[in-house]
PDB file of all heavy atoms in Angstrom:
ATOM      1  N   ASN A  28     146.419 -74.879 130.174  1.00  0.00           N
ATOM      2  CA  ASN A  28     147.816 -74.534 130.393  1.00  0.00           C
ATOM      3  C   ASN A  28     148.583 -75.822 130.745  1.00  0.00           C
ATOM      4  O   ASN A  28     148.165 -76.652 131.488  1.00  0.00           O
ATOM      5  CB  ASN A  28     147.729 -73.601 131.607  1.00  0.00           C
ATOM      6  CG  ASN A  28     149.173 -73.031 131.898  1.00  0.00           C
ATOM      7  OD1 ASN A  28     150.024 -73.132 131.185  1.00  0.00           O
ATOM      8  ND2 ASN A  28     149.262 -72.428 133.163  1.00  0.00           N
ATOM      9  N   LEU A  34     151.639 -74.760 140.535  1.00  0.00           N
ATOM     10  CA  LEU A  34     150.729 -73.772 140.018  1.00  0.00           C
ATOM     11  C   LEU A  34     151.129 -72.351 140.215  1.00  0.00           C
ATOM     12  O   LEU A  34     150.298 -71.427 140.105  1.00  0.00           O
ATOM     13  CB  LEU A  34     149.234 -74.041 140.392  1.00  0.00           C
ATOM     14  CG  LEU A  34     148.581 -75.388 140.303  1.00  0.00           C
ATOM     15  CD1 LEU A  34     147.187 -75.360 140.631  1.00  0.00           C
ATOM     16  CD2 LEU A  34     148.720 -75.807 138.778  1.00  0.00           C
ATOM     17  N   CYS A  62     148.812 -78.858 142.461  1.00  0.00           N
ATOM     18  CA  CYS A  62     147.999 -79.854 141.727  1.00  0.00           C
ATOM     19  C   CYS A  62     148.763 -81.021 141.547  1.00  0.00           C
ATOM     20  O   CYS A  62     149.968 -80.908 141.170  1.00  0.00           O
ATOM     21  CB  CYS A  62     147.511 -79.220 140.432  1.00  0.00           C
ATOM     22  SG  CYS A  62     146.518 -80.333 139.396  1.00  0.00           S
ATOM     23  N   ALA A  63     148.188 -82.229 141.630  1.00  0.00           N
ATOM     24  CA  ALA A  63     148.863 -83.372 141.336  1.00  0.00           C
ATOM     25  C   ALA A  63     149.341 -83.637 139.930  1.00  0.00           C
ATOM     26  O   ALA A  63     148.522 -83.142 139.052  1.00  0.00           O
ATOM     27  CB  ALA A  63     148.109 -84.642 141.824  1.00  0.00           C
ATOM     28  N   THR A  64     150.404 -84.262 139.596  1.00  0.00           N
ATOM     29  CA  THR A  64     150.771 -84.633 138.240  1.00  0.00           C
ATOM     30  C   THR A  64     149.759 -85.537 137.688  1.00  0.00           C
ATOM     31  O   THR A  64     149.311 -86.395 138.342  1.00  0.00           O
ATOM     32  CB  THR A  64     152.190 -85.190 138.240  1.00  0.00           C
ATOM     33  OG1 THR A  64     153.085 -84.299 138.848  1.00  0.00           O
ATOM     34  CG2 THR A  64     152.693 -85.526 136.824  1.00  0.00           C
ATOM     35  N   GLY A  65     149.292 -85.183 136.446  1.00  0.00           N
ATOM     36  CA  GLY A  65     148.222 -86.023 135.771  1.00  0.00           C
ATOM     37  C   GLY A  65     146.849 -85.554 136.108  1.00  0.00           C
ATOM     38  O   GLY A  65     145.902 -86.174 135.634  1.00  0.00           O
ATOM     39  N   SER A  66     146.758 -84.431 136.710  1.00  0.00           N
ATOM     40  CA  SER A  66     145.446 -83.851 137.025  1.00  0.00           C
ATOM     41  C   SER A  66     145.444 -82.396 136.589  1.00  0.00           C
ATOM     42  O   SER A  66     146.380 -81.905 136.028  1.00  0.00           O
ATOM     43  CB  SER A  66     145.127 -83.927 138.534  1.00  0.00           C
ATOM     44  OG  SER A  66     143.756 -83.755 138.718  1.00  0.00           O
ATOM     45  N   ALA A  67     144.327 -81.634 136.972  1.00  0.00           N
ATOM     46  CA  ALA A  67     144.184 -80.271 136.504  1.00  0.00           C
ATOM     47  C   ALA A  67     143.269 -79.582 137.446  1.00  0.00           C
ATOM     48  O   ALA A  67     142.397 -80.185 138.136  1.00  0.00           O
ATOM     49  CB  ALA A  67     143.638 -80.213 135.097  1.00  0.00           C
ATOM     50  N   LYS A  68     143.396 -78.239 137.475  1.00  0.00           N
ATOM     51  CA  LYS A  68     142.542 -77.390 138.275  1.00  0.00           C
ATOM     52  C   LYS A  68     142.131 -76.121 137.496  1.00  0.00           C
ATOM     53  O   LYS A  68     142.881 -75.684 136.617  1.00  0.00           O
ATOM     54  CB  LYS A  68     143.219 -76.907 139.632  1.00  0.00           C
ATOM     55  CG  LYS A  68     143.343 -78.121 140.540  1.00  0.00           C
ATOM     56  CD  LYS A  68     143.810 -77.590 141.945  1.00  0.00           C
ATOM     57  CE  LYS A  68     143.916 -78.759 142.947  1.00  0.00           C
ATOM     58  NZ  LYS A  68     144.484 -78.322 144.160  1.00  0.00           N
ATOM     59  N   ILE A  81     142.357 -73.781 132.489  1.00  0.00           N
ATOM     60  CA  ILE A  81     142.506 -75.091 133.193  1.00  0.00           C
ATOM     61  C   ILE A  81     144.092 -75.407 133.277  1.00  0.00           C
ATOM     62  O   ILE A  81     144.616 -75.552 132.232  1.00  0.00           O
ATOM     63  CB  ILE A  81     141.693 -76.161 132.472  1.00  0.00           C
ATOM     64  CG1 ILE A  81     140.196 -75.820 132.454  1.00  0.00           C
ATOM     65  CG2 ILE A  81     141.949 -77.577 133.117  1.00  0.00           C
ATOM     66  CD1 ILE A  81     139.350 -76.695 131.613  1.00  0.00           C
ATOM     67  N   HIS A  82     144.446 -75.505 134.507  1.00  0.00           N
ATOM     68  CA  HIS A  82     145.903 -75.694 134.682  1.00  0.00           C
ATOM     69  C   HIS A  82     146.218 -77.148 134.838  1.00  0.00           C
ATOM     70  O   HIS A  82     145.829 -77.745 135.889  1.00  0.00           O
ATOM     71  CB  HIS A  82     146.399 -74.934 135.971  1.00  0.00           C
ATOM     72  CG  HIS A  82     146.010 -73.479 135.900  1.00  0.00           C
ATOM     73  ND1 HIS A  82     146.917 -72.578 135.467  1.00  0.00           N
ATOM     74  CD2 HIS A  82     144.886 -72.862 136.236  1.00  0.00           C
ATOM     75  CE1 HIS A  82     146.314 -71.363 135.554  1.00  0.00           C
ATOM     76  NE2 HIS A  82     145.113 -71.562 136.012  1.00  0.00           N
ATOM     77  N   ALA A  83     146.814 -77.808 133.851  1.00  0.00           N
ATOM     78  CA  ALA A  83     147.095 -79.225 133.890  1.00  0.00           C
ATOM     79  C   ALA A  83     148.541 -79.430 134.169  1.00  0.00           C
ATOM     80  O   ALA A  83     149.439 -78.709 133.670  1.00  0.00           O
ATOM     81  CB  ALA A  83     146.686 -79.845 132.562  1.00  0.00           C
ATOM     82  N   VAL A  84     148.861 -80.408 135.005  1.00  0.00           N
ATOM     83  CA  VAL A  84     150.217 -80.720 135.267  1.00  0.00           C
ATOM     84  C   VAL A  84     150.700 -82.039 134.638  1.00  0.00           C
ATOM     85  O   VAL A  84     150.317 -83.138 135.045  1.00  0.00           O
ATOM     86  CB  VAL A  84     150.361 -80.824 136.786  1.00  0.00           C
ATOM     87  CG1 VAL A  84     151.832 -81.028 137.172  1.00  0.00           C
ATOM     88  CG2 VAL A  84     149.853 -79.516 137.530  1.00  0.00           C
ATOM     89  N   GLY A  85     151.448 -81.848 133.521  1.00  0.00           N
ATOM     90  CA  GLY A  85     151.924 -83.045 132.792  1.00  0.00           C
ATOM     91  C   GLY A  85     153.061 -83.617 133.472  1.00  0.00           C
ATOM     92  O   GLY A  85     153.803 -83.089 134.330  1.00  0.00           O
ATOM     93  N   ARG A  98     149.681 -90.536 133.166  1.00  0.00           N
ATOM     94  CA  ARG A  98     149.536 -89.124 133.686  1.00  0.00           C
ATOM     95  C   ARG A  98     149.229 -88.181 132.613  1.00  0.00           C
ATOM     96  O   ARG A  98     148.440 -87.216 132.823  1.00  0.00           O
ATOM     97  CB  ARG A  98     150.882 -88.828 134.405  1.00  0.00           C
ATOM     98  CG  ARG A  98     151.009 -89.575 135.694  1.00  0.00           C
ATOM     99  CD  ARG A  98     152.048 -88.986 136.698  1.00  0.00           C
ATOM    100  NE  ARG A  98     152.126 -89.788 137.850  1.00  0.00           N
ATOM    101  CZ  ARG A  98     153.028 -90.664 138.044  1.00  0.00           C
ATOM    102  NH1 ARG A  98     154.050 -90.926 137.230  1.00  0.00           N
ATOM    103  NH2 ARG A  98     153.046 -91.390 139.196  1.00  0.00           N
ATOM    104  N   GLY A 101     145.625 -88.444 131.892  1.00  0.00           N
ATOM    105  CA  GLY A 101     144.889 -87.951 133.024  1.00  0.00           C
ATOM    106  C   GLY A 101     144.739 -86.383 132.898  1.00  0.00           C
ATOM    107  O   GLY A 101     143.678 -85.840 133.346  1.00  0.00           O
ATOM    108  N   CYS A 102     145.759 -85.703 132.436  1.00  0.00           N
ATOM    109  CA  CYS A 102     145.675 -84.253 132.210  1.00  0.00           C
ATOM    110  C   CYS A 102     144.465 -83.958 131.309  1.00  0.00           C
ATOM    111  O   CYS A 102     143.712 -82.992 131.527  1.00  0.00           O
ATOM    112  CB  CYS A 102     146.982 -83.701 131.648  1.00  0.00           C
ATOM    113  SG  CYS A 102     148.373 -83.690 132.722  1.00  0.00           S
ATOM    114  N   TYR A 103     144.492 -84.580 130.118  1.00  0.00           N
ATOM    115  CA  TYR A 103     143.483 -84.256 129.074  1.00  0.00           C
ATOM    116  C   TYR A 103     142.097 -84.674 129.577  1.00  0.00           C
ATOM    117  O   TYR A 103     141.133 -83.968 129.321  1.00  0.00           O
ATOM    118  CB  TYR A 103     143.856 -84.942 127.807  1.00  0.00           C
ATOM    119  CG  TYR A 103     145.123 -84.242 127.146  1.00  0.00           C
ATOM    120  CD1 TYR A 103     146.289 -84.755 127.177  1.00  0.00           C
ATOM    121  CD2 TYR A 103     144.878 -83.039 126.413  1.00  0.00           C
ATOM    122  CE1 TYR A 103     147.413 -84.080 126.682  1.00  0.00           C
ATOM    123  CE2 TYR A 103     145.983 -82.392 125.829  1.00  0.00           C
ATOM    124  CZ  TYR A 103     147.154 -82.967 125.959  1.00  0.00           C
ATOM    125  OH  TYR A 103     148.312 -82.312 125.384  1.00  0.00           O
ATOM    126  N   THR A 105     140.969 -84.948 132.709  1.00  0.00           N
ATOM    127  CA  THR A 105     140.466 -84.069 133.844  1.00  0.00           C
ATOM    128  C   THR A 105     140.141 -82.702 133.204  1.00  0.00           C
ATOM    129  O   THR A 105     139.199 -82.165 133.639  1.00  0.00           O
ATOM    130  CB  THR A 105     141.573 -83.954 134.917  1.00  0.00           C
ATOM    131  OG1 THR A 105     142.056 -85.245 135.303  1.00  0.00           O
ATOM    132  CG2 THR A 105     141.049 -83.239 136.060  1.00  0.00           C
ATOM    133  N   ALA A 106     140.922 -82.202 132.333  1.00  0.00           N
ATOM    134  CA  ALA A 106     140.577 -80.932 131.667  1.00  0.00           C
ATOM    135  C   ALA A 106     139.207 -80.968 130.925  1.00  0.00           C
ATOM    136  O   ALA A 106     138.398 -80.123 131.053  1.00  0.00           O
ATOM    137  CB  ALA A 106     141.695 -80.534 130.720  1.00  0.00           C
ATOM    138  N   LEU A 109     136.506 -81.018 133.585  1.00  0.00           N
ATOM    139  CA  LEU A 109     136.258 -79.686 134.153  1.00  0.00           C
ATOM    140  C   LEU A 109     135.467 -78.802 133.204  1.00  0.00           C
ATOM    141  O   LEU A 109     134.606 -78.028 133.560  1.00  0.00           O
ATOM    142  CB  LEU A 109     137.607 -79.062 134.582  1.00  0.00           C
ATOM    143  CG  LEU A 109     138.273 -79.664 135.825  1.00  0.00           C
ATOM    144  CD1 LEU A 109     139.682 -79.175 135.941  1.00  0.00           C
ATOM    145  CD2 LEU A 109     137.486 -79.288 137.047  1.00  0.00           C
TER     146      LEU A 109
END
Side-chain angles (χ1 to χ4, degrees):
N28 183 15
L34 303 183
C62 180
T64 301
S66 191
K68 290 189 178 177
I81 297 171
H82 305 265
V84 184
R98 290 198 178 99
C102 288
Y103 288 100
T105 310
L109 286 168

